Amino acid sequence: MDTMNDFANRPMPPLPATKVSVPRHTTAWLGVQTLVIAVFSAIIALIADGIGDYGAERQSQGLLSESSSLMVSDSASYCFALIAISLISITLIEVAFRKYVNYLQYALIGCALGLFYLMLLALAEFVPFWAAYGIVTVMTAGLITLFVKGITANVKAAGLTAGILVVEYAVILILIYIGSLALLIGSILLFVIIALAMYFTLRMRQTADGELIIK
């Protein structure tokens, strides 16, 4: 009997704590993310602009043709837009596929996009500009695609990343070669990009706990 009483009076073990899911992709997070991307893109764009100016110095040394130097400089002028659009695309992929990409990984992707211009300048000293551009595009897009595949473990997310990068670099190459129409076409493309951004924001929804999703 005493044994039964001791058992009845024994304190119950504490229940395991319930793990509360903290929302990660919230509206506040998206605002901070956009601001960080804008600042980081501006910094890389300044570096890319310096690489474009360095191309003129390489030309004066007889290491780079005048046409290639001008094209490298023209491509660097689109650096901010390219990096900002690419990183925002990664953000949307992060929300759509419910994956987490940390700031170090964003920085590495941005650095790879910025390194594009240095590799382009170096390779354009040995091969025609269009060939250098194609080679470096494949290298950069391939590296970032594999990186996103490793982060998300999702083939669809990696394929979407590759498609966005290839289209961006193809459009910039076209803008470089068309010359006088670049401003008009570039402005129209920016309008289309803003329209697409508006469309995706309209598809964003918040769950009960504040998590953003894309439907």
Side-chain angles (χ1 to χ4, degrees):
M1 181 67 69
D2 291 339
T3 303
M4 294 181 62
N5 290 334
D6 290 342
F7 179 79
N9 295 327
R10 183 183 302 172
M12 295 293 293
L15 295 174
T18 303
K19 185 177 180 180
V20 179
S21 177
V22 178
R24 176 173 287 155
H25 303 109
T26 62
T27 303
W29 166 86
L30 184 61
V32 173
Q33 190 83 350
T34 303
L35 179 61
V36 170
I37 287 174
V39 172
F40 185 70
S41 300
I43 294 171
I44 299 296
L46 289 174
I47 297 173
D49 188 60
I51 293 173
D53 294 338
Y54 183 57
E57 182 180 337
R58 302 290 285 182
Q59 177 197 340
S60 66
Q61 296 172 356
L63 300 172
L64 186 68
S65 67
E66 181 180 359
S67 61
S68 293
S69 175
L70 289 173
M71 288 182 177
V72 169
S73 179
D74 288 344
S75 65
S77 65
Y78 297 102
C79 178
F80 176 82
L82 184 138
I83 294 180
I85 292 170
S86 299
L87 295 183
I88 289 174
S89 298
I90 297 295
T91 299
L92 293 176
I93 289 172
E94 182 179 348
V95 174
F97 291 92
R98 316 293 291 165
K99 300 294 182 179
Y100 176 61
V101 184
N102 61 50
Y103 283 117
L104 175 60
Q105 291 164 336
Y106 272 100
L108 290 172
I109 293 172
C111 288
L113 293 169
L115 185 60
F116 171 90
Y117 301 97
L118 183 59
M119 293 192 299
L120 177 63
L121 174 61
L123 197 57
E125 295 180 358
F126 301 97
V127 298
F129 176 81
W130 61 268
Y133 192 94
I135 293 171
V136 180
T137 295
V138 171
M139 292 173 61
T140 304
L143 176 64
I144 294 174
T145 299
L146 290 175
F147 191 48
V148 171
K149 171 65 168 58
I151 294 171
T152 63
N154 190 299
V155 175
K156 189 175 180 180
L160 186 58
T161 301
I164 291 171
L165 290 172
V166 169
V167 169
E168 284 182 320
Y169 282 118
V171 168
I172 289 175
L173 184 62
I174 292 171
L175 292 176
I176 291 171
Y177 275 103
I178 60 178
S180 60
L181 292 176
L183 179 60
L184 174 62
I185 296 178
S187 300
I188 294 173
L189 287 173
L190 285 175
F191 179 83
V192 172
I193 290 169
I194 291 174
L196 288 173
M198 290 179 176
Y199 169 74
F200 279 108
T201 56
L202 289 176
R203 292 189 59 185
M204 281 187 177
R205 299 289 186 271
Q206 275 190 320
T207 60
D209 60 354
E211 186 82 13
L212 286 175
I213 59 173
I214 297 179
K215 288 187 175 182

